Amino acid sequence: DENVANGESKKVYKYDRAGLKEKLDELCTATEKHWVERLEVTVEKEEIEDIHDDFARETSFYNQALAGALQGQKHLEKYGVPHRRPADYYAEMVKTDAHMHKVRANLAAEKERVERSE
Amino acid sequence: VEEEKSVDLIRWVNKQRVLVLASRGITHRPRHLVQDLRILMPHSKKESKMDKKDRLETINEITELRHCNKSLYFEMRRHSDLYMWISATPAGPSAKFLVENIHTMDEMKLTGNCLKGSRPLLVFDKVFDDEDHLKVLKAMFRQTFGTPKGHPKSKAFIDHIMLFTVADRRIWFRNYQIVQPDPTLGMDPNGEPTLAEIGPRFVLNPFRIFSGSFYGATLWENPHYISPTAMRRNLRQKRSTKYSTKVK
């Protein structure tokens, strides 16, 4: 599988599988042996026909992520990890209230614009 | 087989710490991306900007001084091309990527939000298990972007997802909020969630994997990688031949 990127060069590209395996074994430590430490799921993706088609691409990503979320939730419930944030749980968020206010205002304006044009 | 009965949900065992740093001369969008990642990674530490004249190996020294075992280094070249290094310190491996298509969390169309410091669920494309170099990258991403259980700065509840997926020979990163059904809107509280994108977005074009941390033998290199300079040159050439073929 030493493919050549552009016709003229005949460069041989390195692929040291034994070396990669060795490094992988070194990386995977006992401290993350349990799933609860890793929170990791693997999901297959539907084929994307045209990667430059934003809508098709993002839909495929969304569906893959959602399938992952459902699979992840099953694991979380199995091990009793709290994951559903109660509606009355207030804590600092990644985006500030001011930012979210702007996002909502922007969304409302967009919606209004669409309605007016219809 | 995992020991399913005795799961310790509180203790901090997996002590991953990530140093996040950027080179001097980084422009605003990559800088915001670095900031976004710092917010999403409570187990990360920040360091002042690297001088590009310094040898990359000095990052290893800084990483150890700051008691970190992973580092993410963002390097800007020619004021336009952003590269990302991900590295396990001190023994390696490390990998270098070209970062493409950056969108930060500031963008208005990204309507999701999540707790600051909540642990992400990591979703990987099945393709990561098929190839040796992707297996290594998967392990590195998991240990770098995943927040360790019980980390003092982390929060309870798992309300967002980081997606790593492979398309077009590149690795695409997405971060979504898991929106649980709202019973006040008459939805079944035990129903299926939906997702809302939080951001940031970026695409990693893998370049090379080294056995050491910022040095060492090459374990893998990407035969399909074309440097941004070569890409620009090709584009220029195409444009110039467009005229000459027309004249003929």
Side-chain angles (χ1 to χ4, degrees):
Chain A
D1 40 24
E2 260 75 14
N3 289 317
V4 180
N6 46 358
E8 63 256 20
S9 76
K10 290 267 179 345
K11 191 177 173 227
V12 176
Y13 293 90
K14 269 243 175 86
Y15 201 162
D16 178 358
R17 288 169 198 272
L20 287 166
K21 270 186 194 127
E22 194 182 307
K23 281 291 162 189
L24 182 64
D25 289 342
E26 265 177 51
L27 278 174
C28 297
T29 56
T31 52
E32 52 159 26
K33 214 170 146 198
H34 199 284
W35 186 83
V36 169
E37 301 289 349
R38 286 181 276 123
L39 296 186
E40 169 193 81
V41 291
T42 305
V43 181
E44 231 167 316
K45 174 168 79 260
E46 24 191 297
E47 198 68 44
I48 305 170
E49 267 176 37
D50 177 13
I51 195 77
H52 302 293
D53 178 349
D54 285 6
F55 184 75
R57 186 189 63 229
E58 294 307 320
T59 310
S60 164
F61 289 173
Y62 179 95
N63 291 338
Q64 191 179 23
L66 186 61
L70 297 175
Q71 202 181 315
Q73 275 192 356
K74 266 189 211 139
H75 285 284
L76 293 168
E77 265 148 34
K78 178 169 146 201
Y79 297 120
V81 184
H83 62 282
R84 285 169 204 260
R85 173 159 50 92
D88 57 353
Y89 181 87
Y90 291 106
E92 195 183 351
M93 305 292 277
V94 155
K95 292 177 187 172
T96 60
D97 283 349
H99 180 85
M100 288 313 284
H101 188 78
K102 244 164 64 186
V103 169
R104 270 190 293 270
N106 189 57
L107 217 64
E110 192 101 324
K111 208 174 154 199
E112 201 189 339
R113 201 158 54 232
V114 171
E115 273 165 13
R116 219 182 298 146
S117 67
E118 267 169 5
Chain B
V1 181
E2 291 169 351
E3 71 286 23
E4 283 178 28
K5 274 166 206 154
S6 59
V7 188
D8 185 340
L9 296 177
I10 296 144
R11 221 155 49 89
W12 179 26
V13 230
N14 184 23
K15 302 206 172 169
Q16 299 285 348
R17 294 186 184 91
V18 184
L19 187 78
V20 179
L21 75 171
S23 72
R24 244 169 235 299
I26 195 168
T27 52
H28 78 281
R29 200 192 279 258
R31 197 181 65 236
H32 280 274
L33 172 68
V34 174
Q35 240 162 21
D36 287 354
L37 291 175
R38 282 264 306 133
I39 293 170
L40 292 170
M41 295 160 65
H43 57 295
S44 69
K45 289 184 185 181
K46 149 176 112 176
E47 182 58 44
S48 55
K49 289 188 187 127
M50 271 276 291
D51 214 314
K52 267 185 277 188
K53 273 173 259 157
D54 289 344
R55 287 164 63 243
L56 280 172
E57 282 103 311
T58 54
I59 299 174
N60 290 332
E61 289 160 34
I62 306 169
T63 308
E64 279 193 84
L65 277 173
R66 300 293 309 273
H67 306 288
C68 293
N69 62 344
K70 292 280 178 318
S71 50
L72 274 184
Y73 173 52
F74 292 86
E75 189 182 12
M76 195 109 196
R77 289 275 167 96
R78 294 164 198 269
H79 288 287
S80 64
D81 312 325
L82 183 71
Y83 295 92
M84 185 185 97
W85 280 87
I86 185 168
S87 166
T89 317
S94 54
K96 194 182 179 183
F97 308 88
L98 175 72
V99 190
E100 302 167 317
N101 297 339
I102 301 169
H103 295 261
T104 66
M105 284 202 300
D106 296 337
E107 278 179 36
M108 283 296 138
K109 63 173 181 194
L110 304 174
T111 55
N113 201 356
C114 67
L115 285 170
K116 196 175 176 180
S118 61
R119 299 178 64 204
L121 199 63
L122 303 173
V123 180
F124 285 95
D125 196 329
K126 174 88 189 9
V127 179
F128 275 98
D129 295 338
D130 297 343
E131 294 207 56
D132 292 320
H133 70 282
L134 288 173
K135 280 182 200 164
V136 170
L137 292 182
K138 180 186 180 184
M140 299 260 275
F141 290 147
R142 175 179 72 229
Q143 296 178 355
T144 307
F145 293 99
T147 299
K149 184 206 79 207
H151 187 282
K153 281 186 194 158
S154 71
K155 282 200 193 93
F157 310 117
I158 288 144
D159 61 350
H160 70 122
I161 278 187
M162 285 181 185
L163 173 75
F164 295 88
T165 192
V166 180
D168 196 25
R169 299 199 180 102
R170 290 163 169 81
I171 298 157
W172 301 65
F173 175 94
R174 294 288 183 271
N175 180 32
Y176 300 95
Q177 176 190 358
I178 307 171
V179 187
Q180 298 295 351
D182 187 355
T184 60
L185 296 174
M187 291 185 228
D188 173 14
N190 294 315
E192 280 193 6
T194 52
L195 304 178
E197 194 174 347
I198 304 168
R201 282 180 181 188
F202 56 89
V203 181
L204 297 173
N205 192 351
F207 185 80
R208 208 179 263 248
I209 301 176
F210 298 91
S211 66
S213 179
F214 295 104
Y215 69 92
T218 303
L219 295 177
W220 174 82
E221 59 191 315
N222 187 352
H224 306 284
Y225 178 82
I226 303 167
S227 77
T229 334
M231 200 107 80
R232 280 191 288 266
R233 193 177 52 227
N234 289 349
L235 222 84
R236 256 202 317 275
Q237 253 158 16
K238 225 176 265 169
R239 241 182 277 141
S240 67
T241 50
K242 200 173 163 188
Y243 177 72
S244 61
T245 47
K246 223 188 249 174
V247 170
K248 272 178 207 162

